[in-house]
Amino acid sequence: MLIKDILKMEADNQEITVSGWVRTKRDMKNLVFVEVNDGSCFAGIQCTFDKGKALSAETGLALSRLTAGASVKTRGRLTPSPASGQKVELAAEELFIIGETDAESYPLQKKRHSLDFLREIAHLRARTTTFGAVARVRSRLAFAVNRFFEERGFFLVHTPLITSNDAEGAGAMFQVTTLDLAALAKSAAPPDWSRDFFAKHCYLTVSGQLEAETYAAALSRVYTFGPTFRAENSNTSRHLAEFWMIEPEIAFAELPDLMALAEEFLKYLFADTLEKSEDDLAFFDQRIQKGVIENLKNLVTAKFTHITYTDAISELQKSKAPFEFKPVWGCDLQTEHEKYLTEKVASGPVIVTDYPKEIKAFYMKLNGDNKTVRAMDVLVPRLGEIIGGSQREENLQKLELRMAELGMNTRDYSWYLDLRRYGTVPHSGFGLGFERLVQYVTGMANIRDVIPYPRAAGQADF
Ligand code: 4AD
């Protein structure tokens, strides 16, 4: 039986068996308190051994050898707990150590470890309070994502991870090859990709969007939810080289529909976390980021502010804030600008639209001004950009022209252009960075602490 279910039971002196890992052991004069946690919920269960009662020799020995980190099975009776903060406890009668832990060498000692240190022992960090809570919130969020789309008539599409196209046109891609790199390094000739495994130059995908578009042009509403890879050397607290992205793609939808969907989606996920992760959130609020619960509650009812990129730039230019990067029309918004817009201008989430075409991807729909595209970024206080998306260019000639301007080979994208050739429709989609979402709801400062095994420049341990 899982501890989460045991803790919800009425204590009726019924016999219960608990399996889990020992968090703490306190040996008092007459009693031994052992806190056992199985990760099924935030709390562990207190197992109280009464030395006055005749415990078997085996249990006595196990108790004396027991240390934090050991895996155990214990049997006893569920009784009301006199201790504050817990309704029930186990009046334990029997204890078996399943796997001992050497107290000297066990890396998770009683003291609070720094997040930096725990990153070095990522294989054990899920056993800590913080990472157990992150893992549960992350898992529930993934379910909520799927439920949200299922309830709204979206179909999940598994888009490929190995690809020969650069969906974002940004070039930050990892190459996938089985060519002999050592031999290539010695040879003066350029690689012959036709002799490679896929008979062409291939990469790990940066986004499932282009393939999702092909399914939206058949099933109307689809989404992908999978890992994406970017070889950007950005060593920041909100970038990973491998991250999970949720990308809905909707046919017959224009930018305002997309903005409404993004707002509804985020609010749904925040509300779901408040409801289903109460205990874990209480921990984050107390120990990780004060006010994280209040913030989520406010966001569920807040109206997201809408502003065009051009207006956002003039707001930034009017400000007296000492920006490191001067805000000028045509430049990408920096984190400090995003912070200013959400925290000072809007005091809440902001959807910035209609960016200059030069700083956005080739597939975005061109506005009548010929200068800006129907793009949107959703920015949230504290974190900045959490969602990026756009209405797509559905006009064949305009898209071909834009690709030519960017020097792209339209032959490589003929399948993508077919969508515009045959039964084209206005369509739109966005990408939500899943780790940024988990970061935001938990208040964890570093994105590397919300994914089990972070991959970033110089980091691919385990
Ligand atoms: O704005 P991006 O690059 O958009 C796309 O990839 C589009 N194809 C999405 C679409 O329209 N279907 O990325 C979308 C989101 C960002 O807003 C951010 O939350 C996250 O993905 N993201 C990252 N998260 C972690 N590490 C990185 N290196 C990220 N790059 C983007």
Side-chain angles (χ1 to χ4, degrees), residues 23-267:
R23 275 275 161 86
T24 55
K25 177 179 108 175
R26 280 181 301 136
D27 205 338
M28 317 299 273
K29 198 157 150 246
N30 301 319
L31 300 170
V32 186
F33 298 109
V34 178
E35 198 205 329
V36 178
N37 187 288
D38 68 357
S40 62
C41 61
F42 183 80
I45 187 164
Q46 175 164 285
C47 304
T48 307
F49 294 85
D50 187 342
K51 290 183 189 167
K53 294 208 173 127
L55 297 171
S56 71
E58 199 184 358
T59 296
L61 183 67
L63 266 180
S64 67
R65 296 177 66 94
L66 196 65
T67 58
S71 53
V72 294
K73 192 171 191 170
T74 171
R75 191 186 52 74
R77 299 196 171 268
L78 198 64
T79 56
S81 176
S84 72
Q86 55 191 27
K87 220 173 74 194
V88 296
E89 66 177 47
L90 193 77
E93 292 160 7
E94 220 172 30
L95 175 76
F96 300 102
I97 299 182
I98 298 170
E100 288 198 16
T101 283
D102 173 36
E104 287 284 297
S105 63
Y106 188 47
L108 297 173
Q109 300 296 340
K110 246 197 203 149
K111 66 179 168 67
R112 257 184 106 187
H113 297 290
S114 75
L115 296 174
D116 286 344
F117 169 74
L118 291 174
R119 228 170 277 144
E120 288 168 23
I121 49 164
H123 60 300
L124 292 175
R125 68 180 180 167
R127 295 191 191 186
T128 64
T129 322
T130 307
F131 287 91
V134 168
R136 282 186 296 272
V137 169
R138 185 180 166 113
S139 169
R140 290 189 195 113
L141 274 169
F143 271 99
V145 164
N146 290 313
R147 201 182 326 110
F148 175 86
F149 288 121
E150 165 73 16
E151 286 168 3
R152 283 159 187 75
F154 282 74
F155 295 102
L156 174 62
V157 178
H158 295 121
T159 50
L161 301 191
I162 298 176
T163 177
S164 59
N165 68 67
D166 181 357
E168 292 301 302
M173 301 181 87
F174 290 101
Q175 304 182 46
V176 177
T177 180
T178 52
L179 290 180
D180 182 343
L181 297 181
L184 266 177
K186 283 190 214 132
S187 133
D192 179 0
W193 300 113
S194 69
R195 298 182 58 189
D196 202 352
F197 189 90
F198 297 106
K200 53 160 60 165
H201 202 170
C202 279
Y203 311 88
L204 291 178
T205 189
V206 292
S207 156
Q209 178 198 322
L210 304 193
E211 293 87 352
E213 279 186 59
T214 67
Y215 270 68
L219 305 182
S220 292
R221 295 182 189 183
V222 301
Y223 70 106
T224 76
F225 183 178
T228 49
F229 308 87
R230 301 206 179 168
E232 304 159 337
N233 204 348
S234 6
N235 202 0
T236 79
S237 60
R238 41 176 229 161
H239 286 92
L240 286 167
E242 176 182 289
F243 64 98
W244 287 64
M245 191 164 29
I246 299 135
E247 298 184 271
E249 194 67 38
I250 316 117
F252 309 102
E254 303 195 7
L255 191 64
D257 307 310
L258 193 68
M259 293 160 75
L261 182 77
E263 182 170 336
E264 189 190 352
F265 184 39
L266 288 177
K267 287 179 173 175

